[in-house]
Amino acid sequence: MDRTTQPNAKAIAIQQVRLFDGAGLVIDRATLVIRGSTIKTLGPSRTIAVPPDAIRINGHGLTVLPGLIDCHVHLCLGAEPDVVSTLESEQPAYTLLKAARHAQRTLEAGITTVRDVGSRDHTIFALKQAIETGLLPGPRIIGAGQALCMIGGHARFIGREVQGAEQVREAVAAQVAAGAQVIKVIATGGVLTPGTSPDQAQMTVEELQVAVEEAKRLGRKVAAHAHGGTGMTNAIRAGVRSIEHATLLDEATARLFERHAVYMVPTLSALATTAACRRGCGIPDSALDKARALTKRHQASFKLAHRRGLLIAMGTDAGTPFNYHGDNVQELERMVGLGMTPKEAIMASTSHAARLIGIENQVGTLARGMIADLLVVNGDPLTHIDHLRDRDRILGVMQAGRFVAGPLTQ
Ligand SMILES: [Zn+2]
């Protein structure tokens, strides 16, 4: 085992801190004790006995909350204006080195877990291994490997093109064999792939069903990229666990989300960062036009989902044009800007995100026995969500019981 993955010998106690557990509980003067890689105990300070050998941190004026989870990133993409041609011009090994740098930036921003929903070849699994063995710093990775798309479909530059039930089955099995913990399917056209339209359904209903069926057989859940209503409907009926983007949500589709308890992963940052660019910034005109046409509608869809109380988990689509790895927290600000309370936005990025991914028994909430992935913030993100985006306020990012970024790092 690499030195960096060894847990601390001593306990760590954060005392007199405001604690948000990620699931709804706030304790104003709390003490949290971490031993090894897990949370040993937590509660109001007066009720918690601190072990005599513990390293003590005075948490007065600070807030502790679970490490954040981004449910939609592409570590292999570098937020360049034209990610498709950039990726295609790179050697695969170079793309992997870039991804490693992006992983480090993501962790430093307080994102301790990511779900990577589409990568070049199977490089994401090599990166995951390097992080898990302590070779490189980075968030916990739940990876999809290649996205499954139709021939000529959206995201084929980070995907595997399939046609017909047999090819779908084979592709799902291949991703899982390579290390996929989630399967990604492309159910509509997209913004970045030239010649595809976001409101056009892609992959047939049968193909989507087979993908879900095969994934289920192998113990995996499916995330579907979908902007338009038909694609969302096809994917939800097929049995996917989450819809990524959900750009053109309407009342009827919202009811389907409810009925099937499907998560929306809004990725507000993706369309917004692209649409904010001027013509000539390097983003291909086709992508710029599509993003501009959809942004307002996307925001309305998010508001509808929030109003209806749909399950929402945070995802940024980091890696898409000007949507930088390490600036993932912008998504929380955008969600708050569109009506969520800071508490709701943090829950979408912690306990709800963990539940979507299926790791809610390990991370996403602060409770006894959970893995100690947490943030120590100077300020109060529950009243000022922007405190989370201010790097000077992130005093410590703890991953599995060790501070890995921020001034508290030993
Ligand atoms: Zn994406």
Side-chain angles (χ1 to χ4, degrees), residues 72 74 184 245 317:
H72 190 130
H74 302 279
K184 171 84 176 292
H245 318 303
D317 218 352

Side-chain angles (χ1 to χ4, degrees), residues 347-394:
M347 285 171 72
S349 314
T350 54
S351 57
H352 294 318
R355 193 168 289 276
L356 161 61
I357 298 177
I359 51 174
E360 71 273 19
N361 295 326
Q362 300 165 54
V363 296
T365 51
L366 300 182
R368 185 177 306 171
M370 298 287 281
I371 296 174
D373 281 9
L374 55 86
L375 310 182
V376 181
V377 182
N378 181 7
D380 185 6
L382 294 168
T383 52
H384 296 82
I385 197 69
D386 56 307
H387 285 182
L388 275 179
R389 201 176 173 189
D390 180 350
R391 241 7 124 70
D392 293 339
R393 288 181 175 275
I394 306 293

